[in-house]
Amino acid sequence: MPQPRQASSRWAQLADVRDRLGPVSLRELLSGDPDRVERDVLHAAGLRLDWTRQRLDAGAWEALYALAGEAGWADALRRQWDGEHVNTTEDRAAHHMALRLPRDASCHIDGQDVVPEVHRVLDAIEALVQRVHDGRHVGYSDRPIRSVVNIGIGGSDLGPRMVCAALAPLAATTAEGHTLRMHFVSNVDGAALEAVLRESDPETTLFIVASKTFGTQETLTNARSARSWLLRHTDHPEAVARHFVAVSTHAGRVAEFGIDIGNMFGFWDWVGGRYSLWSAIGLPVALYLGMDGFRNLLAGAHAMDRHVLETAAPDGNAALRMALVDIWNHNILGACARVVLPYDERLKLVPSYLQQAEMESLGKGVHLDGSPVERDTGALVWGAVGTDGQHAFYQLLHQGTRWEPTEFIGVAEPAHGLPGHHPILLANLVAQAEALAHGKTAAEAAAEMSADGLPEPEAARLAPHRSFPGDRPSTLILMERLDPHSLGALIALFEHKIYLLSTLWEINAFDQWGVELGKQLAGRVLEDLQSDTRLHPHDPATLATIDWLRARLPAS
Ligand code: F6P
């Protein structure tokens, strides 16, 4: 039985710093520290990271750097880059950075230089993109492809779906003079696929079946239904070959499904599902934006890789500082969630993308050696696009009894030509960060109401309701424009932060055993739902639920 490990004195030191800073408000930290902006705003790979509104001072940062030094953060990065099997429970490297290396680089994983193979697949993707864009890749009735349906889930869905939404204004125009219509189907709820098929033309639709394992129930069920739909419209012998491509690491299962492996784009087991956007899983991005767009996404991520790997000074390393801010807020100050607030409609899917990236990576309860963790690990990640959230849940962020750190993301250049909107949007972003940090005292609230002519007793009565505690920390991530390069850099920054957090907590960021039990039990429940007799043991509550559903499910 693994024993709990010794607590490092660095953690105790951080608790001392918290106690020292306890009585100091964020207002005081912001106004009384002349070096704050210079120290706590950092530029990395085109992004402006601003931690000035965190409840940290120079001494707190030093204590955090000491913790990171003791955890060996720089060595951990090097080991990942050297292709060591940092995914210890699956005995694999986790080297998604190799997917964004330039063609003339080299990178050895398990003794083999993987860069030539990575670029061979990229070139194959480019060839398909060109054929689709110039109309040479035709459907069963010889008409060009006009819409693409990506069928995948989790890492085989969230990344390309988020990037296509974010960069939609930059979608490429095909020879026909249109942009491709992109659809993403992930949920096994047939309503999702049916809605997409209803507005799709079988003659001009290309399906991408994206699954690292090619064994995922949801994806294969959707893919089979999509194939049946196609074959209800045609008996052309090449229908499946012309309308289905696969992205997977598992050629055998792709062939078994009936997709010619000549139409398969491969990747490798050293690419984790939630880190696979940069592999052939990014095919929808390449089709939508064109190959230059996809290559620029990779280049932006590579620029961030270089920043993170090459910046040895902890205070200059954006990913390390982001990780340390999370350590501070969650382990030292006790927050359990982080709220991600993109102030840009294009980035509305970033919170759900990060939910998988962070919560599947960091939601772990044991150390690498199997011993139980002695402090909280991955935070809950949630959020929504600003300004919508302001009119929904910000009330709790400002005045609720719980506080959660927030992360604002903003883009200086708008994606539209409507005058007036963008300054309003960005003013709201800045104002929210300011309001959360500074709050408003009861005396200030009362004085404001008195100045507005409210009688003093009424102002005093309302003051507690109209005051704000403040002291609520936030990070601001700003970029000049949203393009493939800056988006690639942003996503890669989060990836590195995740790995560094896993290093500080000594957990494995690259496995996801926690999703297995539900999958296993779903298989048994499905058999019970579809059988007239009880096949598997369940507790009485589960049996009652199964019986109730079985009596109502339509026969399939
Ligand atoms: O939810 C578990 C998971 O394995 C994710 O890690 C992965 O991204 C997703 O399922 C989809 O897996 P696949 O790409 O193999 O279909």
Side-chain angles (χ1 to χ4, degrees):
M1 187 70 181
Q3 295 301 307
R5 58 201 43 224
Q6 293 289 311
S8 149
S9 62
R10 300 292 183 194
W11 289 99
Q13 221 174 320
L14 284 168
D16 291 344
V17 176
R18 175 196 57 209
D19 295 343
R20 173 178 64 76
L21 281 177
V24 187
S25 70
L26 200 39
R27 276 190 195 202
E28 288 166 314
L29 287 173
L30 280 158
S31 59
D33 180 357
D35 299 331
R36 202 165 181 85
V37 171
E38 181 152 355
R39 187 189 60 233
D40 294 344
V41 176
L42 195 69
H43 294 264
L47 307 180
R48 179 185 189 273
L49 292 316
D50 177 353
W51 297 288
T52 54
R53 293 169 203 80
Q54 291 295 337
R55 279 154 57 179
L56 289 160
D57 68 358
W61 280 113
E62 287 310 322
L64 287 166
Y65 297 147
L67 179 85
E70 192 175 270
W73 69 276
D75 191 48
L77 286 175
R78 187 202 51 71
R79 287 188 292 106
Q80 187 190 21
W81 268 92
D82 286 352
E84 280 188 28
H85 287 200
V86 291
N87 180 351
T88 49
T89 62
E90 294 176 307
D91 195 15
R92 291 173 184 166
H95 210 328
H96 37 278
M97 299 85 68
L99 300 167
R100 46 224 195 195
L101 282 168
R103 200 181 288 274
D104 58 0
S106 68
C107 173
H108 287 81
I109 300 175
D110 299 329
Q112 198 193 337
D113 183 1
V114 298
V115 176
E117 190 58 9
V118 163
H119 280 269
R120 188 192 62 72
V121 175
L122 283 172
D123 292 343
I125 291 174
E126 179 157 21
L128 176 68
V129 169
Q130 276 170 2
R131 286 203 317 276
V132 168
H133 282 199
D134 65 21
R136 276 180 296 134
H137 186 106
V138 290
Y140 63 83
S141 61
D142 292 335
R143 290 173 62 199
I145 296 300
R146 289 194 174 148
S147 58
V148 175
V149 180
N150 189 75
I151 297 177
I153 195 164
S156 301
D157 165 72
L158 290 162
R161 187 195 282 260
M162 180 269 286
V163 171
C164 286
L167 301 176
L170 304 177
T173 307
T174 66
E176 285 200 294
H178 307 292
T179 57
L180 291 171
R181 297 182 61 194
M182 305 300 293
H183 301 281
F184 291 85
V185 176
S186 51
N187 195 344
V188 73
D189 183 344
L193 178 63
E194 206 171 62
V196 168
L197 296 180
R198 209 176 295 128
E199 51 182 82
S200 300
D201 180 346
E203 294 180 40
T204 59
T205 298
L206 179 69
F207 292 94
I208 302 171
V209 185
S211 174
K212 179 177 170 183
T213 55
F214 230 78
T216 303
Q217 186 187 45
E218 293 90 332
T219 300
L220 294 186
T221 305
N222 279 324
R224 281 190 209 102
S225 296
R227 185 179 53 188
S228 304
W229 172 82
L230 175 72
L231 297 178
R232 275 201 300 278
H233 290 89
T234 176
D235 57 3
H236 193 292
E238 282 179 28
V240 173
R242 291 191 189 187
H243 291 271
F244 275 79
V245 298
V247 178
S248 187
T249 57
H250 214 296
R253 291 182 182 162
V254 170
E256 215 174 287
F257 179 85
I259 297 179
D260 184 339
I261 55 166
N263 287 334
M264 174 185 132
F265 299 86
F267 61 113
W268 308 272
D269 73 355
W270 43 266
V271 182
R274 54 193 172 275
Y275 300 92
S276 63
L277 163 67
W278 325 99
S279 71
I281 290 291
L283 176 60
V285 176
L287 283 164
Y288 194 40
L289 301 183
M291 200 60 194
D292 286 350
F294 188 50
R295 288 194 193 273
N296 282 333
L297 185 83
L298 301 180
H302 178 64
M304 184 56 78
D305 293 342
R306 295 194 63 148
H307 162 81
V308 172
L309 191 72
E310 292 169 8
T311 308
D315 60 345
N317 194 302
L320 180 67
R321 291 189 69 171
M322 261 182 127
L324 292 174
V325 165
D326 282 2
I327 293 282
W328 179 254
N329 283 327
H330 300 298
N331 294 128
I332 311 301
L333 300 185
C336 75
R338 198 175 89 260
V339 191
V340 179
L341 302 166
Y343 271 67
D344 199 296
E345 196 65 21
R346 293 168 290 181
L347 296 175
K348 66 178 175 219
L349 298 182
V350 166
S352 45
Y353 175 80
L354 289 180
Q355 271 171 348
Q356 189 202 16
E358 299 202 19
M359 292 167 76
E360 198 165 82
S361 299
L362 299 172
K364 309 289 162 66
V366 294
H367 289 297
L368 292 165
D369 64 5
S371 60
V373 295
E374 52 289 286
R375 52 185 58 82
D376 282 328
T377 55
L380 305 175
V381 178
W382 62 281
V385 75
T387 55
D388 294 4
Q390 289 175 208
H391 298 274
F393 55 79
Y394 279 36
Q395 165 65 38
L396 184 148
L397 299 183
H398 284 290
Q399 288 187 318
T401 52
R402 303 164 198 282
W403 67 274
E404 302 301 344
T406 48
E407 200 158 68
F408 294 95
I409 307 176
V411 183
E413 192 178 282
H416 58 83
L418 297 178
H421 289 245
H422 211 57
I424 296 174
L425 180 70
L426 294 181
N428 272 280
L429 179 160
V430 177
Q432 289 298 330
E434 200 175 26
L436 286 164
H438 289 257
K440 186 188 282 184
T441 64
E444 287 166 345
E448 260 179 31
M449 286 184 276
S450 300
D452 284 346
L454 218 64
E456 206 167 306
E458 188 59 359
R461 185 180 75 81
L462 290 177
H465 299 277
R466 300 184 61 167
S467 62
F468 296 72
D471 257 345
R472 303 196 164 186
S474 63
T475 293
L476 259 60
I477 303 176
L478 299 177
M479 58 187 95
E480 285 186 25
R481 70 190 62 79
L482 184 60
D483 57 22
H485 199 276
S486 60
L487 185 60
L490 180 73
I491 305 166
L493 176 62
F494 280 105
E495 289 180 346
H496 289 298
K497 178 200 82 163
I498 290 166
Y499 175 58
L500 287 169
L501 274 172
S502 76
T503 300
L504 290 157
W505 286 322
E506 296 174 72
I507 58 175
N508 185 352
F510 302 112
D511 61 11
Q512 57 284 318
W513 299 107
V515 301
E516 293 304 323
L517 178 58
K519 287 186 195 173
Q520 203 181 9
L521 294 185
R524 290 186 210 165
V525 172
L526 179 62
E527 285 175 3
D528 280 326
L529 277 176
Q530 293 176 331
S531 160
D532 292 334
T533 51
R534 288 176 176 174
L535 300 175
H536 301 286
H538 298 281
D539 64 66
T542 308
L543 278 177
T545 312
I546 291 173
D547 287 346
W548 192 91
L549 285 170
R550 189 173 38 199
R552 287 158 182 82
L553 270 177
S556 51

